[in-house]
Amino acid sequence: MNHTMSTPSVASQSSDRTHYKMYIGGEWVDAADGEVFDTMNPYTGRAWATIPRGRAADAERAVAAAKTAFESGDWPKLTATNRGHLLRRLADLITESAEHLARIEVIDNGKLINEMLGQVRYIPQWFHYFAGLADKVQGAVIPIDKPETLNFTRREPLGVCVAITAWNSPLLLAAYKLAPGLAAGNTFVLKPSEFTSASALEFAKLVEKAGFPPGVVNVVTGFGAEIGEPLVAHPSVAKVAFTGSEIAGQRVYETAARGLKRVTLELGGKSPNIVFDDAELDNAVRGVISGIFAATGQTCVAGSRLLVQRSIYEPFIDRVVAFARTARMGDPLDIRTQVGPITTPPQYKKVLDYIAIAKAEGATCLLGGKPATGPECGEGQFIEPTIFGDVDNKMRIAQEEVFGPVLACIPFDDYEDAIAIANDSPYALAAGVWTQSVRRAMTMSERLQAGTVWVNTYRAVSYMSPFGGHKRSGVGHENGMDSILDYTKIKSVWINTAREVPDPFVMR
């Protein structure tokens, strides 16, 4: 339902809904045409807020604001050290607002309050870490092979960057992009998913409060085709950092390529979680459950393929099924809840479709396999934790990303068999290995095709460690010390100290 917002406030309350505005050039504004759309609570099934429906005109003014902020005003005058001070101030404000931000995310995306509160409390570390790196981005003096010549390099910010985030962890994914990019001196237009825009707009309030100059961070909202594509295609945008689906990522890549823009793409996964017969089995069971059900399977690194050594396959799967059967579904704002709803109606349908496909392909449903409709589920879009046995790695349920609480179990014979099955995938984002053998852990980490390999743990991330995928899982990496360099360009400076210019017709 679209209607015009009449309230002048940043986010106002009428009846039971919050009405948000976009943040552009340091001002809180409606969409240019005044349209809005509803955002739904996945647990109650009801609209709880209205979000501005931005379009090309809004993309234009956001990029213009970011470009002006990059080229003039207070931002380019700041030293790198002072940029770091602003980032630290923002980090402290996020810490103070963590509970509020986490609650907004849960209401908007249906993930567990324990999960989202943990994420939001961790996010300030991204801004503290990259604040510390802001004044340590250095060039180099090159001992050049030319006489009477000084050659050195400078690392400079790229300019206007666009950050587009997915609906499953909106603020964490924004931190992956904004923290290094701002530390390097860039300006940003952030476009969150249309399904989970509220927390980004709440975050913008903290950016304003921290004292960032107008236009340095802009937050626009709307649908991909209507405002996302104009942002990616805009000639003043230097880089696009995107997290989302493979199909959307391809579209972003193609559009950005026409403008020869830099990109970072973090896309899908079909990650193997591999259990050897020498593993600590209790820990491995917990790791399997964490990998696929803790976030309702709605994470790009979900360990959705469980590979178990054949000698322990049946008893181990029995233990996983027994553990998963105890998972408590319910209100994601209840700290006792362990499995929440599917975030969006399209995703809910997609997960159910894949369950039907798995059954049609001959996989055996060992647990779940249908919607959950108990009173604890309210009006939400719940799907029972689902486990399939008798899965062949060629089946679609093993090759395609489901992004839901669906686990495909596959036996393997030995180390070589495990490697072959794990790497037989179009994706290469993450992998888990459960073993007590150091030799096996090191060899597996070397031969697995994945951007991240976890050994005897799963779903661990840090601002200090690079994160990204290979193959169809994406392009480039985020986090870690080197990621700040991906938001810079290198300039080579040559200074001739000779008294006379040599022969102009000969390359020096």
Side-chain angles (χ1 to χ4, degrees), residues 73 83 140 160 229 251 271 286 289 297 299 315 345 349 379 390 403 407 440 443 452 459 467:
R83 287 200 303 270
V160 178
E229 287 194 31
R251 187 72 172 265
S271 301
R286 294 188 188 97
I289 296 296
T299 170
K349 180 181 183 302
E379 300 299 321
D390 300 318
F403 219 71
L407 180 64
R440 180 179 286 155
T443 306
T452 296
R459 291 185 71 216
F467 178 78

Side-chain angles (χ1 to χ4, degrees), residues 230-243:
L231 284 173
V232 174
H234 199 289
S236 295
V237 170
K239 174 170 178 169
V240 180
F242 172 86
T243 300

Side-chain angles (χ1 to χ4, degrees), residues 9 12 38 56 109 129 176 184 189 214 240 242 249 260 264 266 312 326 354 377 386 391 454 484:
S9 62
S12 64
D38 293 332
N109 73 4
Y129 180 76
Y176 283 14
V189 180
V240 180
F242 172 86
L260 299 178
T264 302
E266 197 273 284
I312 61 167
T326 68
Y354 268 107
C377 298
T386 298
V391 175
W454 291 294
I484 194 171

